[in-house]
Amino acid sequence: MSPRQPWTLDDLAAGVRSGDRRALARAISLVENGDPLSYALVRELYPETGSAFVVGVTGPPGVGKSSLISTLVRHIRTEERTVGVLSVDPSSPFTHGALLGDRIRLSDHFLDPGVFIRSMGTRGHLGGLAEATLQAALLLDAAGKELVLLETVGAGQSEVEVIGIADTVLLVLMPGSGDSVQALKAGIMEIPDVIAINKMDHPAAKTMLNEVRSILALDRNREWRPPIVLTEALRGENVPELWGKIEEHRAFLESNGLLEERRRKNLAGEVFAAATSRAKSHLQAEVAENPELRRLLDQVQARELDPLSAVREILEQVYGIDDGPGSKDSTDTH
């Protein structure tokens, strides 16, 4: 295809199916920008997805996630399995994706035809970053990537939404980091399936290992106990062992019929999340353009009208939803 000739839906679909890097790069750009062609493309390819195993990699900034992913990719490639990496940065309005340092750490793999690496940011996608990431992961899946690694830059709400599409979640922590301690306190320990404590040579590594283990012991109801692995990403120490634990979690999910259940739950969650995001955008636009609805907000701000009464009126006017006392929605306790 000529570089100047625009991609058609058929060209893109065929290119993604064959694993063509240019087609895949173009397709993900369309997804990031919320281009209508991206919706048609994902719709076309969606029945052919469901084969890739998705690993979400999260944790506070600066703990060495990119270095660890780079080493994991190197190890996975020794098994001759293909990999897609999506590095997701919801916090960077300037770079629209992971910062240069992340790309440098992953640059060893750029020339490997079995690895596809992409940084993703919020850009203009209406449904939010989680939706854009889901669509990009589906494209990598359709392109035949056996494993997809999703890296998030932090451990906040946006990141939790993004890794909500993962089959296995790897939490990376670093000893001696205030952020890591805050992550423990914030209840993030409910998220991971496998935990890596990176920079194992740090004097506080063993202490942190014991702290994390004691926090995990508080949750006695989990069938799967997240294993904790001490790693040194730059030297590749214990990275094969870490990957082994991720594989063990996959085997656990598959043997108990939980993988399909998790994927069904994740996809249903994505449908609701995308619908909620769109409904919110539509609602905000309606209120901005309708003087009567804006007046309701003014009344709330002046404390002349309570917020829930304003909500009822807005929902009734915009969506025709009766959310008042006695309605089915307001009396349903389930």
Side-chain angles (χ1 to χ4, degrees):
M1 164 171 288
S2 163
R4 295 182 183 178
Q5 186 178 340
W7 291 90
T8 65
L9 175 60
D10 289 344
D11 291 333
L12 273 176
V16 170
R17 283 188 183 102
S18 67
D20 180 77
R21 295 169 78 90
R22 281 183 59 236
L24 198 47
R26 181 62 185 150
I28 293 176
S29 292
L30 293 173
V31 159
E32 281 190 292
N33 294 325
D35 191 289
L37 183 57
S38 71
Y39 297 108
L41 179 63
V42 173
R43 185 168 60 240
E44 169 85 13
L45 295 171
Y46 186 68
E48 300 160 40
T49 62
S51 298
F53 191 79
V54 182
V55 179
V57 184
T58 191
V63 295
K65 292 188 293 294
S66 292
S67 300
L68 195 56
I69 286 174
S70 180
T71 314
L72 277 171
V73 168
R74 191 175 298 114
H75 176 70
I76 293 164
R77 290 295 291 144
T78 64
E79 301 174 357
E80 297 189 357
R81 291 200 273 179
T82 54
V83 191
V85 180
L86 296 174
S87 184
V88 182
D89 182 3
S91 62
S92 175
F94 303 108
T95 61
H96 298 304
L99 299 177
L100 184 61
D102 295 335
R103 285 175 172 263
I104 289 170
R105 282 187 280 276
L106 288 164
S107 62
D108 294 350
H109 308 291
F110 281 157
L111 298 178
D112 183 344
V115 180
F116 184 90
I117 297 167
R118 180 60 175 256
S119 302
M120 291 187 69
T122 47
R123 295 202 185 179
H125 204 287
L126 177 65
L129 196 51
E131 180 186 327
T133 307
L134 171 66
Q135 289 187 302
L138 289 170
L139 290 171
L140 290 171
D141 189 348
K145 296 294 180 254
E146 296 165 82
L147 294 152
V148 176
L149 304 181
L150 302 179
E151 177 196 7
T152 66
V153 167
Q157 183 60 40
S158 298
E159 292 81 357
V160 170
E161 289 175 4
V162 168
I163 60 172
I165 66 176
D167 299 317
T168 294
V169 176
L170 168 63
L171 173 64
V172 185
L173 299 172
M174 182 181 76
S177 162
D179 284 335
S180 292
V181 174
Q182 286 307 114
L184 297 177
K185 290 179 180 174
I188 199 172
M189 300 310 294
E190 298 166 13
I191 297 169
D193 301 300
V194 179
I195 298 169
I197 297 178
N198 197 29
K199 306 186 181 175
M200 60 188 285
D201 296 337
H202 191 285
K206 292 284 174 62
T207 303
M208 186 171 207
L209 173 68
N210 292 329
E211 286 176 1
V212 172
R213 192 172 281 153
S214 64
I215 290 169
L216 291 175
L218 296 174
D219 185 358
R220 295 186 174 87
N221 298 322
R222 290 180 70 154
E223 288 183 68
W224 170 264
R225 284 298 177 90
I228 310 164
V229 182
L230 291 169
T231 62
E232 176 45 67
L234 294 177
R235 295 198 304 269
E237 284 189 49
N238 286 353
V239 169
E241 288 81 358
L242 177 63
W243 184 248
K245 296 301 180 185
I246 293 170
E247 292 276 59
E248 279 180 31
H249 181 249
R250 178 179 185 168
F252 167 79
L253 291 176
E254 289 176 338
S255 64
N256 290 279
L258 298 174
L259 181 58
E260 185 60 27
E261 181 184 319
R262 180 176 279 212
R263 286 178 173 176
R264 288 169 65 89
K265 181 181 174 184
N266 287 350
L267 288 168
E270 282 306 309
V271 170
F272 285 115
T276 301
S277 179
R278 277 169 164 65
K280 181 181 177 183
S281 297
H282 175 69
L283 200 58
Q284 288 173 329
E286 285 287 319
V287 172
E289 294 167 10
N290 188 321
E292 192 176 339
L293 296 179
R294 281 207 312 274
R295 180 180 55 77
L296 289 171
L297 283 186
D298 292 339
Q299 286 181 304
V300 171
Q301 289 161 348
R303 299 192 182 273
E304 296 167 2
L305 181 69
D306 71 280
L308 289 185
S309 295
V311 167
R312 289 191 190 109
E313 287 201 45
I314 290 172
L315 289 178
E316 191 164 358
Q317 289 194 43
V318 176
Y319 295 120
I321 298 172
D322 179 8
D323 192 42
S327 70
K328 181 180 182 299
D329 290 339
S330 63
T331 56
D332 189 354
T333 57
H334 298 290

